[in-house]
Amino acid sequence: MDAIFHDLKDKHVFITGGGSGIGAALSEGFLQQGAKVSFVQRSDASAFITEMEQKTGASPHYRQCDLSDIDALHVAMTELQNQQGVIDVLVNNAGNDVRHHLNEYDVADWDNNMSVNLRPYFFTAQFVAPFMKKEGGGAIINYSSASYLMGNAGYPAYVAANAGITGLTRALARELGGDNIRVNALIPGWVLTQKQLDKWASPKDLQAHLAKQCLKKHLSPEDMVGGTLFLASNASKMMTGQVLAIDGGVVITG
């Protein structure tokens, strides 16, 4: 690790989608800080749990859960909180950047997209807020996407959801600030997870995107860890309602 955030030791960090892609890198990063990590995701994460035990000597706790089922999500969060203690840090990371076009989506498709890419952000925050208030504060980190700042075509519902995430972040920062709960958004650029490499990262598109970056190096999931740790820790204790972009220098947020 490039830095140690001592106040994260023994904190309970809950991550949506924490067993694959960016979420897996975040889980490992927090475990290396000595935090207690729990997460939910739709796919089986048994192999990842074993890998983390071998690499870090610590075992994250997880529940298999469909984020679109809010009741099941709250049950999973309750169980994990009972095991690991009150959630100190919430990281809303999971999403699905499925490609689609305006003319092919109906109401059900739209609702299904929002049920994964936006709705859980609201209801995970709703769950943790009273517990964080009782504990004297906490941190919420909402993963958005540079796609909406770039005005990307090819997945308009996803882009809309991620714009909504930033708006929700700012509203919750104002609403929860009096309880010492900080809420910030982190915007990744094009992070080359295995999913991206398998589905969309053609040599032509990779070259075109790299030309837009100030820093001429493709992003990896590990590049998201340091900024997330910073937003979770007391190093950013007076930072809330803000948007932190980690994208190699494509978008401007000021």
Side-chain angles (χ1 to χ4, degrees):
M1 296 298 295
D2 294 320
I4 300 298
F5 296 90
H6 299 283
D7 61 292
L8 292 178
K9 188 176 187 302
D10 297 325
K11 292 292 181 69
H12 180 190
V13 180
F14 175 82
I15 305 169
T16 62
S20 63
I22 293 173
L26 298 180
S27 290
E28 181 174 353
F30 277 107
L31 287 171
Q32 290 177 343
Q33 296 287 325
K36 298 179 291 185
V37 174
S38 66
F39 66 90
V40 291
Q41 70 175 35
R42 187 167 57 181
S43 59
D44 179 64
S46 301
F48 176 70
I49 297 295
T50 300
E51 179 188 355
M52 288 300 97
E53 289 174 344
Q54 294 171 348
K55 289 182 71 172
T56 71
S59 176
H61 292 216
Y62 101 104
R63 292 290 184 276
Q64 200 163 350
C65 177
D66 184 344
L67 286 177
S68 66
D69 185 340
I70 299 301
D71 289 339
L73 175 60
H74 281 177
V75 168
M77 294 179 76
T78 299
E79 291 175 353
L80 292 166
Q81 192 163 250
N82 287 341
Q83 289 180 332
Q84 300 267 66
V86 168
I87 294 169
D88 301 292
V89 178
L90 165 65
V91 183
N92 280 311
N93 156 76
N96 185 8
D97 57 343
V98 59
R99 273 38 174 184
H100 57 274
H101 298 285
L102 177 65
N103 60 3
E104 68 186 22
Y105 250 34
D106 60 20
V107 172
D109 293 324
W110 171 272
D111 289 345
N112 288 336
N113 194 299
M114 296 301 135
S115 74
V116 173
N117 290 315
L118 180 58
R119 190 171 70 184
Y121 285 65
F122 181 93
F123 287 103
T124 52
Q126 183 187 70
F127 179 91
V128 301
F131 295 103
M132 288 182 174
K133 177 181 179 179
K134 188 174 181 180
E135 293 294 307
I140 298 173
I141 302 157
N142 292 328
Y143 264 68
S144 182
S145 167
S147 61
Y148 92 90
L149 290 172
M150 297 173 69
N152 285 352
Y155 40 15
Y158 174 78
V159 170
N162 280 278
I165 288 167
T166 301
L168 178 64
T169 296
R170 289 171 172 159
L172 291 180
R174 182 68 62 183
E175 182 163 336
L176 301 177
D179 298 323
N180 196 35
I181 299 171
R182 300 184 299 108
V183 190
N184 291 291
L186 192 150
I187 292 185
W190 194 6
V191 179
L192 297 186
T193 63
Q194 192 59 52
K195 176 183 176 182
Q196 298 297 313
L197 292 169
D198 290 343
K199 291 191 172 187
W200 301 300
S202 71
K204 180 181 178 181
D205 289 341
L206 286 172
Q207 184 178 9
H209 189 81
L210 198 62
K212 299 175 184 177
Q213 292 185 195
C214 297
L215 302 174
K216 304 305 181 182
K217 181 181 178 182
H218 290 298
L219 297 163
S220 71
E222 290 71 25
D223 292 323
M224 302 301 110
V225 175
T228 307
L229 296 175
F230 168 72
L231 291 177
S233 77
N234 287 335
S236 59
K237 65 182 180 180
M238 290 305 293
M239 182 175 174
T240 195
Q242 303 304 309
V243 177
L244 175 65
I246 304 178
D247 69 345
V250 175
V251 301
I252 303 297
T253 59

